[in-house]
Amino acid sequence: MRNIGPIVLLGPPGAGKGTQSKRIADRYGIPQISTGDLLRENVQRRTDLGLKAEAQMARGDLVPDNLVCDMVAWRLRDTDCERGFILDGFPRTVRQALWLDAFLKHQFLENPKRHVCSPIVVRFDVDYNKLSLRLNGRRTCPACGLIYNIHLQPPQVDELCDVDGSKLIMRDDDRYEVIQERLATYERQTMPVAEYYARERRLISVNADRPVDEVTAQLFQEIESHAAATASG
Ligand code: ADP
Ligand code: AMP
């Protein structure tokens, strides 16, 4: 399989980044690196990082840049990232975006052993009024990670995963009180990240306010034309 390179997915909480990441990962055989999932694992395992991040996550604030960048750096050194990877929920501040550019340049673009092309950066655009319903209705399978929505994409049997029958769980931060704070955090700290990539003419916008399959089809198209353009250029 050819190199796909880094895929950066930006967009507000609930935009569909996790849902689409899993489809991209299956199609191209590259890992999904969700900083939210990695942080939640650390909280669950009561690691030093988890203990430091827990309070901010519960409030809907961002975890400090240095902690998240170190965590991403560790994960990206794994060999499964050599052909490419999906960053889901990272970068979320301009400092993280600048850090990522520098890291990719040194670890990937200038490293003959890790030949991946330059990152494709995609922003998911969704009507803000729909995000609360998407987030509050989100349920996740703790065993396989599949994402459902009790209003929009319900499982066949109430609250049970279609694939393995596990009881679906709701994230603590998908309660209405925290959702408002997470959306405000996105506007304040993450919207400028999209502006940074747009200024550099590296931003692709996708209308994510459409059925999941339609969004997936457009993403595959964008990823393939980016990989082809970068390989030939
Ligand atoms: P993010 O990772 O961006 O926070 P998710 O992929 O977890 O978002 O999706 C949030 C919720 O919205 C989930 O319940 C998911 O099932 C639902 N969802 C995702 N994409 C769509 C879509 N295109 N249309 C309707 N609902 C969607
Ligand atoms: P998510 O699963 O992407 O919705 O992230 C859940 C929570 O994890 C966020 O509300 C933040 O508290 C934290 N988080 C995830 N990614 C980042 C990041 N790149 N920078 C800072 N905090 C993050």
Side-chain angles (χ1 to χ4, degrees):
M1 265 203 220
R2 76 195 150 117
N3 291 344
I4 285 298
I7 300 173
V8 174
L9 301 184
L10 303 176
K17 302 181 297 295
T19 303
Q20 298 296 339
S21 291
K22 292 188 191 333
R23 292 170 167 222
I24 298 170
D26 284 350
R27 165 115 173 182
Y28 298 108
I30 56 175
Q32 169 195 12
I33 299 172
S34 155
T35 44
D37 285 349
L38 290 175
L39 288 166
R40 275 185 291 279
E41 267 170 47
N42 275 277
V43 170
Q44 214 168 27
R45 294 190 356 248
R46 316 300 296 157
T47 63
D48 282 352
L49 171 60
L51 294 173
K52 285 181 189 147
E54 190 169 22
Q56 279 121 339
M57 293 175 74
R59 280 197 302 271
D61 290 339
L62 294 185
V63 173
D65 289 333
N66 61 323
L67 297 182
V68 181
C69 292
D70 285 353
M71 178 181 79
V72 170
W74 271 105
R75 180 64 185 87
L76 291 185
R77 289 194 176 105
D78 287 347
T79 50
D80 65 339
C81 295
E82 280 176 357
R83 286 182 43 252
F85 47 85
I86 306 154
L87 287 173
D88 162 10
F90 183 92
R92 254 171 149 112
T93 64
V94 172
R95 279 185 63 198
Q96 291 179 14
L98 294 171
W99 175 89
L100 179 66
D101 275 346
F103 183 85
L104 290 179
K105 192 160 178 261
H106 292 121
Q107 297 294 321
F108 285 86
L109 300 175
E110 289 174 357
N111 181 343
K113 280 204 202 127
R114 308 192 116 200
H115 260 315
V116 295
C117 55
S118 67
I120 172 170
V121 182
V122 182
R123 183 185 60 199
F124 288 39
D125 294 333
V126 184
D127 175 357
Y128 251 57
N129 297 318
K130 301 207 177 134
L131 293 174
S132 285
L133 191 72
R134 282 196 183 187
L135 290 168
N136 195 251
R138 170 161 60 189
R139 300 290 184 274
T140 311
C141 173
C144 71
L146 259 184
I147 302 168
Y148 296 85
N149 192 291
I150 54 169
H151 313 294
L152 307 162
Q153 275 124 22
Q156 282 159 18
V157 180
D158 246 11
E159 302 287 336
L160 298 184
C161 178
D162 293 347
V163 177
D164 52 45
S166 305
K167 175 123 179 60
L168 303 180
I169 51 172
M170 179 180 181
R171 275 169 52 174
D172 284 342
D173 60 354
D174 279 345
R175 285 174 293 112
Y176 283 118
E177 314 83 83
V178 190
I179 288 173
Q180 295 317 315
E181 185 52 38
R182 289 165 65 206
L183 293 177
T185 301
Y186 175 78
E187 286 187 29
R188 209 172 44 241
Q189 293 182 269
T190 310
M191 274 186 174
V193 175
E195 286 156 18
Y196 161 75
Y197 287 119
R199 270 197 305 278
E200 300 216 327
R201 301 186 183 283
R202 293 162 67 192
L203 185 72
I204 295 171
S205 297
V206 164
N207 174 7
D209 218 342
R210 292 178 294 159
V212 175
D213 287 347
E214 280 184 31
V215 180
T216 308
Q218 188 185 347
L219 286 171
F220 288 173
Q221 235 171 36
E222 300 285 3
I223 290 167
E224 277 161 41
S225 38
H226 176 83
T230 321
S232 60

